[in-house]
Amino acid sequence: FANAGDTVGAESWLLKLEKEYGRKPQLFEVSALVHAYALVPDVEKASQWVMKMRDDMQLQPDVGTMNALINAYARASDPEGAVRWLGVMRKE
């Protein structure tokens, strides 16, 4: 779903994994969704999923995921958001 740009389908599938199959999403699965939202760019959704990875799923976003998020803010003409997330990335 995410690779095809279907953010709604990808998000639905990730939520279904745990709810219906009892399996927590893995880092690469959530990262693919963040990348898909970053390409749109839907910075709010991309940010929400990065925070969910860190806070709820105990997954550490990798450099590629954070890079996609920062680039999404740049594409969305929000340099302050890009700088804010770059600061978060540097701290981790």
Side-chain angles (χ1 to χ4, degrees):
F1 295 104
N3 288 338
D6 179 5
T7 55
V8 173
E11 185 169 341
S12 174
W13 181 77
L14 279 181
L15 295 171
K16 192 177 191 179
L17 267 178
E18 190 165 9
K19 206 177 265 186
E20 292 186 23
Y21 301 107
R23 183 174 83 73
K24 292 186 185 253
Q26 296 180 21
L27 177 63
F28 76 93
E29 294 164 325
V30 185
S31 291
L33 179 61
V34 172
H35 279 265
Y37 276 125
L39 290 174
V40 173
D42 185 338
V43 293
E44 285 190 32
K45 282 288 204 172
S47 297
Q48 287 172 3
W49 276 96
V50 167
M51 289 186 289
K52 186 177 177 97
M53 287 172 81
R54 295 171 50 211
D55 300 337
D56 300 340
M57 299 175 165
Q58 286 75 48
L59 295 172
Q60 185 63 39
D62 59 13
V63 172
T65 303
M66 295 303 292
N67 215 8
L69 179 60
I70 292 164
N71 286 330
Y73 275 94
R75 276 195 294 282
S77 300
D78 184 352
E80 292 86 12
V83 170
R84 184 176 65 248
W85 279 104
L86 182 59
V88 169
M89 186 177 160
R90 284 183 177 163
K91 287 180 186 177
E92 296 176 358

